[in-house]
Amino acid sequence: MTLKVLEHPLSPYAQKVKLALHFKSLDFQVETPMIGAGTDDFLTASPRGEVPVLLHDTLAIYDSAVIGAYIEETWPEPMLLPQSATARVKSRLIEDAMDTHFESNTWGLGEILIFNRAQDAQREQMHAYAEQQIQGWYQWLEPQLSEAGWFNGSRYGWTDICVIPFVNGAGRFDILPERNTRLALWLEQINAREDVAAVTSQAQAAELDPTMMQAAINAGFKREYRDHRLEWMIQAGGIDIVKSGIEQNNIRFNGAFPTEGEGR
């Protein structure tokens, strides 16, 4: 058996997959493809041109939620998900909220602060909007914690894995839960785990340099705008950024998925 994760260490979705594999005590390799300028093989494995991708022998799986389900079904012990159907539904709803609504804010902060898409008053406005939204999501997350202090129920598991990369991602921009809240205590407790600390350390070591990222955009690198990210950009006051990105051809959207062996 061979397991490989195509990833970027800063991707919260890739972090989810790596933490799930660590939870199952599975050995795996990692590889970082050229996101935004992928090879034919990468685009065949991941038609949206996104990481992560899990390669298990000859099988290629993309989308962190699908990968997480595959890991749980293929290696059922120890259990990642809570046992009851009700708790599993709650877990999936929390995962969806983090993957879309929460992530759009940290992604948006990356666009304006690291990729330098906004300037001056617009930059301040969009930064403030993201911080307000993230704090609102922290308030939503707080009561989702169980009496035991975990999102997954009585113990650490998949739901916690689905939350921690995004909260730590907001921490990159100094937007953290209020001190002495249950969410802040959870954050301290989960970041003390060896596997979480290792994955977070890998992300910190891969931090992006704004000057280099601006040069990459000028050289033709395209950040993906789709679904929740595009919605965030418009709501935050950056519709002109979207228009400019389309005109300058330095943002991308998804087209038809390529057929096997056909890149794009």
Side-chain angles (χ1 to χ4, degrees):
M1 181 187 75
T2 59
L3 281 173
K4 180 184 286 187
V5 180
L6 304 184
E7 63 129 12
H8 189 285
L10 279 170
S11 165
Y13 305 106
Q15 291 175 43
K16 286 168 57 180
V17 171
K18 292 189 292 184
L19 288 172
L21 293 171
H22 283 308
F23 184 92
K24 300 288 188 178
S25 298
L26 296 168
D27 292 328
F28 62 95
Q29 301 173 326
V30 296
E31 181 180 313
T32 302
M34 286 293 291
I35 304 170
T39 64
D40 288 359
D41 287 343
F42 174 58
L43 290 173
T44 299
S46 179
R48 291 196 295 251
E50 300 171 344
V51 293
V53 174
L54 179 68
L55 303 177
H56 180 203
D57 294 333
T58 60
L59 181 65
I61 313 166
Y62 66 95
D63 190 288
S64 62
V66 177
I67 295 171
Y70 178 79
I71 291 171
E72 179 74 335
E73 292 169 6
T74 305
W75 299 279
E77 296 295 335
M79 288 178 59
L80 260 174
L81 284 162
Q83 194 160 16
S84 75
T86 301
R88 289 186 175 209
V89 165
K90 179 181 177 181
S91 175
R92 293 185 178 105
L93 291 173
I94 292 173
E95 178 178 16
D96 182 71
M98 300 306 293
D99 281 357
T100 57
H101 302 298
F102 194 104
E103 191 269 354
S104 63
N105 291 284
T106 51
W107 173 88
L109 285 168
E111 281 292 87
I112 62 175
L113 300 178
I114 296 174
F115 288 86
N116 204 32
R117 299 274 193 184
Q119 305 295 325
D120 304 326
Q122 184 183 39
R123 182 186 181 104
E124 293 180 11
Q125 172 195 325
M126 297 178 75
H127 190 174
Y129 176 80
E131 184 165 7
Q132 179 188 43
Q133 289 291 305
I134 290 170
Q135 290 298 341
W137 282 107
Y138 286 159
Q139 291 176 25
W140 179 81
L141 282 169
E142 178 91 8
Q144 310 297 330
L145 286 162
S146 69
E147 292 184 4
W150 298 107
F151 288 106
N152 208 57
S154 61
R155 58 176 177 79
Y156 167 85
W158 178 245
T159 324
D160 302 282
I161 287 171
C162 290
V163 175
I164 186 58
F166 299 98
V167 175
N168 278 340
R172 291 170 63 200
F173 304 101
D174 298 321
I175 306 175
L176 294 167
E178 291 185 13
R179 293 181 180 179
N180 301 320
T181 59
R182 296 183 71 230
L183 185 60
L185 293 175
W186 167 86
L187 183 61
E188 181 179 355
Q189 180 175 226
I190 194 171
N191 276 329
R193 288 181 56 92
E194 184 177 351
D195 53 351
V196 175
V199 169
T200 303
S201 177
Q202 292 162 7
Q204 291 170 340
E207 187 58 78
L208 304 175
D209 177 79
T211 301
M212 292 180 63
M213 292 304 99
Q214 181 64 60
I217 291 291
N218 293 338
F221 178 81
K222 300 177 185 180
R223 286 261 280 173
E224 184 186 33
Y225 278 53
R226 68 176 183 92
D227 303 334
H228 54 282
R229 295 174 174 177
L230 179 59
E231 179 182 342
W232 184 92
M233 186 61 69
I234 293 170
Q235 289 184 326
I239 193 168
D240 59 313
I241 294 174
V242 180
K243 183 174 182 293
S244 174
I246 293 171
E247 292 172 349
Q248 297 179 34
N249 195 29
N250 61 20
I251 65 176
R252 68 183 179 91
F253 301 96
N254 288 315
F257 284 1
T259 58
E260 188 172 352
E262 174 195 8
R264 71 167 185 259

